[in-house]
Amino acid sequence: MPLLEKNLVLYEIFIWDSFKRHGFLVGDIKMIPYMVAFGVAYVIIFTLMSVLYLSSKQVTDRLYHLYRQDELTKLYNRHALDEDLKDCQYSIAAMFDIDHFKHVNDTFSHKAGDIILTQFADILKRRYRDEVRVYRWGGEEFL
């Protein structure tokens, strides 16, 4: 239905959606790029917020994992032991200590010592699998 304004004919454009009818005047069409830009910005911001939430959750989970795991041997560490003992009703522990390990590091280098520690940790992991938890207490001490 045409409308008259200052001797100009304007046409009313109707857009239907599933809930109600919205009307825009021809002069309001200039606003469409802004509305589209707003909609696109909203989608981008919502997407970024979702990605950041997922990323922060993954980072938090990864930090918690690193907090509980010895970096060299990939065994549980003292932090994990402390947390596990809080939840444990009973426990039996055995301590392993590699004798004269300082001599190995001093004679063959810390790199060689690291190799020995990782191999020993692998032996413990293979031997005990899921039966018990194995922890690196510190240095060359395992629990």
Side-chain angles (χ1 to χ4, degrees), residues 2-34:
L3 300 173
L4 290 173
E5 181 178 295
K6 295 184 182 177
N7 299 327
L8 295 173
V9 177
L10 299 176
Y11 291 92
E12 195 172 55
I13 301 170
F14 290 98
I15 298 175
W16 289 86
D17 65 12
S18 58
F19 298 105
K20 58 186 173 178
R21 188 172 147 182
H22 300 278
F24 293 95
L25 296 176
V26 172
D28 292 336
I29 290 179
K30 294 177 186 174
M31 294 300 294
I32 289 177
Y34 298 108

Side-chain angles (χ1 to χ4, degrees), residues 1 6 15 17 20 24-25 33 47 52 58 61 74 78 81 84 87 90 99 102 109 115 130 132-133 139-140:
M1 162 175 179
K6 295 184 182 177
I15 298 175
D17 65 12
K20 58 186 173 178
F24 293 95
L25 296 176
T47 303
L52 289 175
Q58 290 170 341
D61 291 347
K74 307 301 184 226
R78 285 181 140 184
L81 178 63
D84 291 346
D87 299 331
Y90 61 91
D99 289 335
K102 182 179 179 335
S109 80
I115 292 170
D130 295 329
V132 296
R133 288 200 174 181
E140 75 282 358

Side-chain angles (χ1 to χ4, degrees), residues 74-137:
K74 307 301 184 226
L75 294 174
Y76 292 106
N77 62 18
R78 285 181 140 184
H79 300 291
L81 178 63
D82 290 342
E83 288 180 4
D84 291 346
L85 287 176
K86 289 177 188 174
D87 299 331
C88 186
Q89 294 179 0
Y90 61 91
S91 62
I92 297 173
M95 177 76 90
F96 298 94
D97 181 82
I98 302 175
D99 289 335
H100 311 291
F101 194 73
K102 182 179 179 335
H103 178 72
V104 171
N105 277 339
D106 292 344
T107 305
F108 300 103
S109 80
H110 287 276
K111 181 76 171 162
D114 289 349
I115 292 170
I116 291 170
L117 289 174
T118 54
Q119 288 178 349
F120 185 69
D122 289 342
I123 290 169
L124 292 175
K125 284 187 266 189
R126 279 195 311 271
R127 168 60 185 94
Y128 295 108
R129 299 190 192 270
D130 295 329
E131 298 168 21
V132 296
R133 288 200 174 181
V134 180
Y135 303 87
R136 182 174 178 201
W137 181 254

Side-chain angles (χ1 to χ4, degrees), residues 37-89:
F38 177 77
V40 169
Y42 179 79
V43 169
I44 290 171
I45 289 171
F46 180 77
T47 303
L48 287 175
M49 288 174 61
S50 299
V51 167
L52 289 175
Y53 171 76
L54 292 175
S55 297
S56 68
K57 175 143 178 43
Q58 290 170 341
V59 168
T60 302
D61 291 347
R62 179 71 179 139
L63 286 174
Y64 183 72
H65 179 74
L66 291 173
Y67 171 76
R68 291 179 48 88
Q69 185 183 56
D70 179 63
E71 186 177 349
L72 177 65
T73 61
K74 307 301 184 226
L75 294 174
Y76 292 106
N77 62 18
R78 285 181 140 184
H79 300 291
L81 178 63
D82 290 342
E83 288 180 4
D84 291 346
L85 287 176
K86 289 177 188 174
D87 299 331
C88 186
Q89 294 179 0

